[in-house]
Amino acid sequence: MADYVPAPGRNHLFVPGPVNIPESVMRAMNRNNEDHRSPAFPKLSKSVIDDVKRIFKSSKGTSFIFPTTGTGAWESALTNTLSPGDKIISFRLGQFSLLWIDQMQRLRFDVDVVDYEVRHPALLLVDGVSSIGAIDFRMDDWKVDVALTGSQKALSLPTGLGIVCASPKALEAAKTSKSLRVFFDWADYIKFYAAGTYWPYTPSIQLLYGLRAALDLIFDEGLDNVIARHHRLGGATREAVKAWGLTIATKKDEWISDTVTAVVVPPHIDSANVVKLAWKKYNLSLGVGLNKVAGKVFRIGHLGSMNELQLLGALAGVEIVLVELGVNIKLGSGIAAAQAHLSKNTPLISSRI
């Protein structure tokens, strides 16, 4: 779309996914097609299938990389471990939990929707699309059975890979699951893993090269450092919002996200206008409010390949847009608060010490 509506400089992409793609990842994907059955391709395949487990902090799990989105990864997690009519306890917490609940119901599972924590010996399936690779997640330690993410979030890739990690317990459940599945069947992948060719159908070749480059960037920085960086950027964003005299949509501190901040606008403001003006005047892309909070909040994404000065530029854009729309904010207030937070908490770049 940006090619049809050109603007000076680069688009400032601060939606909660898709996110900015690093130059090295784009270069890695800029290649011709090749034969995924060639003797050379399994080396790349095995490396990404093995290494992607590290972002889940799992050594016991088995990973599956589907040419799909996070929604496809959801379906894979459900249909490989459950049978129609099986009981699911699902937690209603935000818009995307509602979408996963809808998918569960359409796949003919018996879904109990709850708004509080439940302890239960059942399989534990986690949607980590907007968190894995950016927020601390310990699949093995927390005894998670299936976790999933998408390439367009913390991995900073284009949309197109749905990545699933399944525990040994989940693999056992898949052997007796009666849900219909073809494209997302783990058994097909496992058969090709054993054969050393890895792919039951043609994979997204360029995205796999991009994934290899993206994982290299994460591991070079250090996954714990990546998580700390996201916490730092999320904290700076929340300090800016507080300095503006506004609030975030999250009601409890334990629900605060280090990958996206939903900002509640004053009653006389339509949050869609914040998003529109930011894009039309300052080439800044923000996320709209979804479903019940449409018009009431806008979302600032701060995940993936992003540093402190990039975030400050986006916050400056948000601040000036809010002022122009009539929100009573002193220019520079939010930026100063974010700067103070970052100055206090940002370490030296490890590769430059």
Side-chain angles (χ1 to χ4, degrees):
M1 185 64 179
D3 289 340
Y4 299 101
V5 282
R10 298 189 66 170
N11 172 250
H12 303 281
L13 184 60
F14 284 82
V15 299
V19 302
N20 298 282
I21 304 173
E23 295 289 340
S24 61
V25 173
M26 289 194 287
R27 289 194 298 270
M29 293 187 294
N30 186 19
R31 60 197 313 121
N32 206 338
N33 280 327
E34 63 182 271
D35 178 13
H36 63 288
R37 304 292 184 207
S38 75
F41 202 73
K43 182 178 180 181
L44 170 69
S45 302
K46 186 176 189 307
S47 77
V48 295
I49 290 167
D50 288 347
D51 282 356
V52 79
K53 291 191 296 184
R54 293 169 60 185
I55 67 171
F56 294 86
K57 292 191 176 179
S58 176
S59 60
K60 301 174 183 177
T62 299
S63 62
F64 304 95
I65 303 173
F66 295 100
T68 184
T69 64
T71 304
W74 283 353
E75 187 165 331
S76 166
L78 293 170
T79 57
N80 278 278
T81 58
L82 302 169
S83 301
D86 280 355
K87 175 76 72 176
I88 298 176
I89 300 172
S90 186
F91 304 101
R92 179 164 42 214
L93 187 65
Q95 168 67 8
F96 290 95
S97 69
L98 299 178
L99 296 178
W100 204 7
I101 289 166
D102 176 65
Q103 187 185 76
M104 294 169 187
Q105 293 169 335
R106 291 165 68 180
L107 288 169
R108 307 295 174 86
F109 299 117
D110 182 6
V111 187
D112 276 351
V113 182
V114 296
D115 297 298
Y116 52 86
E117 183 179 0
V118 173
R119 298 193 180 277
H120 197 280
L123 288 170
L124 177 58
L125 279 59
V126 175
D127 169 13
V129 169
S130 293
S131 57
I132 290 173
I135 296 174
D136 190 25
F137 183 80
R138 308 174 194 178
M139 181 167 174
D140 289 355
D141 290 350
W142 298 343
K143 301 186 186 309
V144 174
D145 292 301
V146 185
L148 57 95
T149 190
S151 54
Q152 78 277 16
K153 300 285 188 171
L155 285 166
S156 298
L157 285 161
T159 306
L161 296 180
I163 301 168
V164 176
C165 194
S167 72
K169 181 180 174 182
L171 294 182
E172 282 300 310
K175 295 176 182 178
T176 56
S177 165
K178 295 179 174 59
S179 292
L180 294 177
R181 55 189 183 270
V182 178
F183 186 78
F184 296 121
D185 198 332
W186 296 349
D188 291 344
Y189 272 73
I190 291 170
K191 180 174 69 175
F192 279 82
Y193 289 177
T197 52
Y198 297 101
W199 307 106
Y201 36 71
T202 306
S204 302
I205 291 169
Q206 287 78 8
L207 283 176
L208 291 178
Y209 279 102
L211 176 59
R212 178 68 270 166
L215 291 172
D216 289 342
L217 287 175
I218 290 173
F219 301 148
D220 286 346
E221 184 178 354
L223 180 56
D224 288 341
N225 292 331
V226 171
I227 292 167
R229 171 167 53 82
H230 281 85
H231 184 63
R232 190 163 61 244
L233 299 180
T237 304
R238 293 187 290 272
E239 288 297 319
V241 174
K242 187 188 304 182
W244 293 331
L246 302 178
T247 60
I248 62 175
T250 308
K251 300 302 182 185
K252 295 184 179 181
D253 287 347
E254 60 263 33
W255 294 346
I256 287 173
S257 170
D258 285 332
T259 62
V260 59
T261 299
V263 183
V264 180
V265 297
H268 65 283
I269 300 290
D270 183 341
S271 65
N273 291 332
V274 177
V275 176
K276 289 176 184 177
L277 183 59
W279 186 77
K280 287 183 175 182
K281 189 170 184 179
Y282 296 107
N283 203 13
L284 170 61
S285 296
L286 302 169
V288 296
L290 301 172
N291 202 345
K292 293 181 180 180
V293 294
K296 300 177 182 178
V297 310
F298 65 91
R299 296 174 298 148
I300 305 172
H302 33 80
L303 74 160
S305 179
M306 182 184 301
N307 62 31
E308 291 76 11
L309 296 188
Q310 286 176 289
L311 177 66
L312 288 172
L315 294 176
V318 172
E319 189 170 270
I320 196 171
V321 166
L322 290 172
V323 169
E324 291 180 13
L325 289 175
V327 181
N328 185 22
I329 291 174
K330 181 181 178 182
L331 282 175
S333 58
I335 299 304
Q339 285 175 322
H341 179 86
L342 293 172
S343 178
K344 180 180 178 181
N345 293 286
T346 303
L348 296 175
I349 298 170
S350 59
S351 63
R352 301 183 181 184
I353 297 175

